[in-house]
Amino acid sequence: MNELFLGIISFLTSTIAGIVGIGGGMMLIAILPSFLPLNALIPVHGLTQMSSNLSRAIFGYKDIQFEVIPKFLIGSFIGIGLFATILNFISLNYVPLFIGVYILLSLWSAKFNEKIKKYENYYIAGFFQTGFSIVVGATGPLTMTLLFKDYANKEKVLATSAALMSITHILKVFVFIYFGFVFFDYMGIIIAMIIGAVTGSWVATRLRDKIDGKKFFLILKVLLTVLAFHIIVKVFI
């Protein structure tokens, strides 16, 4: 039953991400703590998001701005190497707390987003986006602001963001394999979520121009806020 439900959730969150560019990964990482043990939370989320972003990048490959990828990739390799060491010093009991606080700051703190904007190059964006993803899972907004500044075309922003997030999640999955996480133990859930994610990406490419992105994002922002508070409260109860 969990497989079917999480497959549907993965479809919905992937569709959301494909339409508005961000939010799907955050929503998924906010829901997963109710269904997965803490040690599986970030790895399973990462593999699902890898399929979601990679499929979205493939569907929109003609709009990817490939010139930014080498810079982002270099930063990502450095970031994943350094931040991987953090896993040995952080109690997994507090991972949902990191996730909830990160979501709230990303959505509502102008100062937090201003600090992020200071690191406006793809080397540093790759370093922080991929590095932080090991701990908080969903870090797509870190490069979205930079892409919107560099490219006025929405399709270019969404396709390139998907490509960059694919790099982040691919590297993250390899890190968790290196640390011994056994993805096979959750194969049923993973397959259902990957099918949902890829299908959601496909649907999003056909709905993107038919939905008012501003109204949709407002609803998404409120929903994400509720979910963030929910997982923060669960840490202390």
Side-chain angles (χ1 to χ4, degrees):
M1 191 64 181
N2 280 352
E3 287 85 350
L4 178 60
F5 181 77
L6 288 176
I8 294 171
I9 292 297
S10 180
F11 166 77
L12 293 174
T13 56
S14 183
T15 302
I16 289 168
I19 293 171
V20 299
I22 59 173
M26 282 185 174
M27 183 177 292
L28 185 61
I29 199 67
I31 293 171
L32 284 180
S34 298
F35 297 91
L36 293 173
L38 294 177
N39 69 312
L41 183 60
I42 304 296
V44 172
H45 175 270
L47 189 57
T48 303
Q49 287 303 104
M50 181 186 77
S51 61
S52 175
N53 283 281
L54 191 58
S55 60
R56 192 158 71 249
I58 291 171
F59 292 142
Y61 74 94
K62 66 181 183 299
D63 293 309
I64 295 175
Q65 303 305 293
F66 289 96
E67 67 270 14
V68 309
I69 290 179
K71 302 172 186 177
F72 183 86
L73 190 59
I74 291 171
S76 293
F77 274 119
I78 298 172
I80 203 79
L82 291 178
F83 278 87
T85 60
I86 295 175
L87 290 177
N88 295 319
F89 304 101
I90 293 179
S91 170
L92 290 175
N93 293 327
Y94 294 100
V95 169
L97 180 62
F98 284 123
I99 293 168
V101 171
Y102 172 77
I103 291 173
L104 291 176
L105 288 175
S106 295
L107 291 174
W108 300 106
S109 174
K111 289 184 178 180
F112 180 77
N113 287 307
E114 277 300 316
K115 289 183 182 297
I116 291 176
K117 288 179 183 179
K118 292 179 181 178
Y119 306 105
E120 289 191 321
N121 72 64
Y122 292 97
Y123 296 106
I124 296 178
F127 175 85
F128 282 108
Q129 176 168 296
T130 304
F132 279 142
S133 72
I134 298 178
V135 181
V136 300
T139 53
L142 287 173
T143 52
M144 188 60 74
T145 302
L146 182 56
L147 289 169
F148 268 122
K149 180 178 178 181
D150 289 345
Y151 304 104
N153 182 283
K154 181 182 178 183
E155 298 300 323
K156 290 181 180 180
V157 170
L158 293 177
T160 307
S161 174
L164 298 183
M165 282 305 301
S166 297
I167 292 171
T168 290
H169 290 298
I170 289 169
L171 292 178
K172 181 168 62 176
V173 166
F174 277 113
V175 165
F176 282 107
I177 291 174
Y178 173 79
F179 277 105
F181 182 80
V182 183
F183 285 95
F184 187 79
D185 291 346
Y186 301 89
M187 191 55 64
I189 288 175
I190 288 172
I191 290 174
M193 293 179 68
I194 288 177
I195 292 173
V198 174
T199 306
S201 294
W202 181 81
V203 170
T205 60
R206 281 144 183 80
L207 293 179
R208 192 174 295 150
D209 295 329
K210 299 178 181 179
I211 295 177
D212 187 331
K214 291 183 178 179
K215 291 181 180 179
F216 195 71
F217 187 74
L218 178 61
I219 296 171
L220 175 64
K221 191 172 182 179
V222 172
L223 182 56
L224 282 170
T225 300
V226 173
L227 288 169
F229 276 117
H230 173 68
I231 61 175
I232 289 172
V233 169
K234 283 189 66 176
V235 171
F236 297 103
I237 295 179

